[in-house]
Amino acid sequence: MRENEKPTLLSRRQILASGVAMAGAIPFLPSTQASAVPEPRTANFILTAGTKTLAVNGKPARVFGLIGPNGKPGITLSPGERFHVDLVNRADTSTIIHWHGQLPPWTQDGFPWPQTPPIPAGDTRSYDYEPIAGTFWMHSHQGMQEQSLMTAPLIVHSAEDMRADRQEVVLMLHDFSFRTPDELLAELTKSNGSQRAMPKSGMGNNMNMGSGNMGSGNMGSGNMGAMNMRSGTAIDLNDIDYDAFLANDRTLTDPEVIRTEPGGRVRLRLINAASATQFWIDLGALTGTVVAVDGHPVRPVRGARLPLAIAQRLDVLIDLPENGAYPIFAQVEGKRARTGIVLAASGAPVSRLATEAEENARPIDLSLEHRLESVTPLAPRAPDVTHRVVLAGAMAPYAWSLNGEYWPNVTPLMIARGQRVAIEMLNHTMMAHPMHLHGHAFQVVAINGVPLVGAVRDTVLVPPMSSITIAFDADNPGRWALHCHNLYHMMTGMMTEVRYPAII
Ligand SMILES: [Cu+2]
């Protein structure tokens, strides 16, 4: 579609009829490399990185995708099953997939270290490690492919999951733009001038996202100011003005309707796979019980409105009433925009849902984090080493750093095998940063210097002008990324390395 052509709104049915593949229907169009891909032989699972076309706001959108052996996004493992996967790259560009929250050896972590370069188009790479049970996900760590939806669920069932009489529902969230990630990043950094050289975003970011330029160029208006009640100063939210928010690849105008058993129980596995958007999960008329965060069990916490930072997961048990249809919303912080799915008893009518909430959501916060208590905490022990990491940066110039350094020009945080390690993250910015450590499950042990025996998880929100201390046992030697999971913060520098050798 040309720039000035008026977009034609197509219904889902019309797009289907036009031969454009819908999510999950015909996931990957033929690739020129397809015939060159050797047939994998030994792995339990084949995972294919490719491209697909979605319908978003009535228009086709070309995106990436990760399709498992059953033709559905991602991989689901049974209790005790190894993560023994051949990843076949049919995306026509190099890629590398990170198994977010899992604890593989560092060479299988899916991060583009010099020792583990991206997988060229047409190649296959094998993975074989013992997974940990829970709600995890996978995403590209190559360039900004994550923004183009190179993401999928990674669900590892436990024996208890199999025994329990409940329906499993996965809800994966995305932020979506018809502009390319490179365009979005260029817009954010255009006022930076010669402040510092921006890292090159690498290959694979030049996908044609479908119907072209949305034309408005109103990136700045996405920065919704909100008042920080404590300091009375404005905090920054939502760097990017997105075109849509997706729940399982669909918007609220045509949400996924999941048929449920009247009076049944659902385990809702929520995954925030957005690149730069944090959500409030709104269970509407229902109340849920949070039983796990980032795949790790917590003591039950009841709630109907739950914050979900970028890259985090929530497992929520929901007991359904006898009948009816129940929307599960995810509302963007600072905005009225929302997305979601519907849980509906078989036969229950599903009415049209308002695509916007009545009021702007407030910024997500630590209201849930404060209440979380791990079922499997670290053994009590004082840290052997404490690293302090200062989170710095601003909207203009648009650049974000850790300890004053910008990835890839960073000094690794050196630790030693066997240590109990604490990392104190001090946020000196007016924006919240969802911080993720690869290859380890850490425990949240202090918020603003106040100790707590918090959740074990892999991604934690560090609010503006706040501090979070995490602790973990150094039991998985290698090279590990520690970074903000806002993709645009990471791309402009907010990443460092935690490193330790295998030998004590
Ligand atoms: Cu950040």
Side-chain angles (χ1 to χ4, degrees):
M1 188 182 293
R2 283 190 303 276
E3 259 180 55
N4 50 5
E5 209 172 322
K6 194 171 187 302
T8 315
L9 293 184
L10 300 176
S11 75
R12 214 178 152 74
R13 214 166 269 116
Q14 283 168 323
I15 288 172
L16 266 178
S18 75
V20 174
M22 302 302 299
I26 311 168
F28 300 145
L29 300 179
S31 140
T32 49
Q33 262 89 16
S35 58
V37 174
E39 282 310 308
R41 297 157 303 271
T42 55
N44 295 342
F45 299 98
I46 296 168
L47 179 70
T48 308
T51 56
K52 61 183 178 183
T53 302
L54 300 178
V56 181
N57 299 344
K59 290 176 290 183
R62 194 104 176 109
V63 296
F64 288 118
L66 288 156
I67 297 296
N70 56 3
K72 292 184 178 161
I75 284 187
T76 301
L77 297 175
S78 301
E81 212 163 17
R82 282 183 77 79
F83 186 92
H84 189 189
V85 171
D86 277 348
L87 172 58
V88 183
N89 180 5
R90 289 193 174 139
D92 285 348
T93 183
S94 64
T95 192
I96 190 162
I97 306 300
H98 168 56
W99 321 110
H100 186 114
Q102 288 288 320
L103 315 175
W106 74 280
T107 50
Q108 295 192 49
D109 185 47
F111 186 88
W113 298 111
Q115 298 90 338
T116 55
I119 308 163
D123 277 12
T124 296
R125 191 164 296 166
S126 298
Y127 299 84
D128 188 7
Y129 65 83
E130 191 180 329
I132 53 171
T135 303
F136 295 87
W137 65 299
M138 58 181 79
H139 63 83
S140 173
H141 234 296
Q142 170 75 349
M144 292 184 285
Q145 292 175 353
E146 183 189 287
Q147 178 71 85
S148 300
L149 275 54
M150 188 74 99
T151 68
L154 169 51
I155 309 297
V156 184
H157 284 134
S158 66
E160 190 224 332
D161 290 332
M162 307 316 283
R163 282 193 303 270
D165 179 22
R166 61 197 174 202
Q167 186 176 351
E168 294 262 340
V169 176
V170 176
L171 201 184
M172 190 164 199
L173 299 164
H174 282 119
D175 40 23
F176 174 85
S177 175
F178 282 102
R179 309 172 85 195
T180 66
D182 281 332
E183 287 175 304
L184 298 175
L185 180 62
E187 189 71 30
L188 288 169
T189 57
K190 71 178 178 190
S191 60
N192 286 13
S194 57
Q195 296 275 348
R196 55 177 290 266
M198 303 315 299
K200 258 194 81 65
S201 53
M203 296 172 65
N205 307 313
N206 302 322
M207 293 197 74
N208 178 352
M209 300 291 290
S211 54
N213 193 337
M214 296 301 285
S216 61
N218 56 348
M219 305 277 304
S221 66
N223 306 321
M224 302 270 314
M227 295 306 281
N228 178 329
M229 299 321 275
R230 245 185 5 188
S231 63
T233 49
I235 68 169
D236 294 313
L237 307 173
N238 300 319
D239 293 356
I240 291 168
D241 209 8
Y242 283 103
D243 295 321
F245 299 95
L246 308 179
N248 294 346
D249 288 349
R250 294 162 72 157
T251 64
L252 260 192
T253 54
D254 179 28
E256 182 177 14
V257 176
I258 292 164
R259 292 296 169 181
T260 52
E261 220 175 289
R265 174 171 265 203
V266 163
R267 185 183 188 112
L268 179 61
R269 298 177 183 266
L270 295 145
I271 304 169
N272 186 354
S275 291
T277 303
Q278 328 222 62
F279 293 93
W280 282 97
I281 305 304
D282 177 0
L283 303 180
L286 303 170
T287 301
T289 304
V290 176
V291 292
V293 296
D294 298 353
H296 299 270
V298 291
R299 302 209 180 279
V301 173
R302 300 272 291 166
R305 215 170 149 78
L306 306 160
L308 189 60
I310 296 166
Q312 288 184 335
R313 287 86 64 211
L314 277 177
D315 284 34
V316 184
L317 297 183
I318 298 172
D319 290 314
L320 294 164
E322 276 308 310
N323 222 326
Y326 298 91
I328 306 291
F329 294 113
Q331 187 180 350
V332 179
E333 66 169 347
K335 288 182 179 278
R336 291 172 59 197
R338 63 185 182 180
T339 185
I341 60 170
V342 181
L343 305 179
S346 40
V350 178
S351 50
R352 206 173 161 75
L353 299 165
T355 56
E356 298 211 312
E358 284 176 12
E359 291 181 357
N360 287 341
R362 65 179 198 272
I364 67 159
D365 56 24
L366 298 182
S367 54
L368 178 61
E369 198 70 53
H370 275 284
R371 299 171 65 196
L372 296 177
E373 199 183 330
S374 176
V375 170
T376 50
L378 295 183
R381 176 177 168 185
D384 301 299
V385 58
T386 299
H387 282 286
R388 181 173 281 205
V389 175
V390 173
L391 287 53
M395 296 299 293
Y398 192 88
W400 304 89
S401 63
L402 296 175
N403 283 343
E405 296 179 325
Y406 298 87
W407 182 267
N409 302 310
V410 301
T411 311
L413 303 177
M414 299 303 298
I415 59 176
R417 191 174 193 171
Q419 283 179 332
R420 168 68 54 87
V421 180
I423 299 180
E424 185 186 10
M425 296 181 283
L426 299 151
N427 184 356
H428 288 184
T429 81
M430 294 313 293
M431 195 157 184
H433 302 281
M435 297 297 295
H436 171 50
L437 173 63
H438 286 222
H440 299 78
F442 56 74
Q443 187 164 18
V444 178
V445 295
I447 297 176
N448 290 323
V450 179
L452 82 163
V453 184
V456 169
R457 61 189 319 160
D458 57 57
T459 308
V460 68
L461 188 77
V462 189
M465 309 306 286
S466 301
S467 79
I468 294 275
T469 308
I470 61 171
F472 63 92
D473 287 323
D475 53 9
N476 196 4
R479 308 185 68 176
W480 300 105
L482 168 67
H483 64 93
C484 175
H485 223 285
N486 181 313
L487 182 62
Y488 299 89
H489 295 188
M490 185 184 84
M491 291 306 294
T492 57
M494 204 166 210
M495 177 152 66
T496 190
E497 178 185 354
V498 173
R499 186 192 293 183
Y500 55 116
I503 301 151
I504 297 173

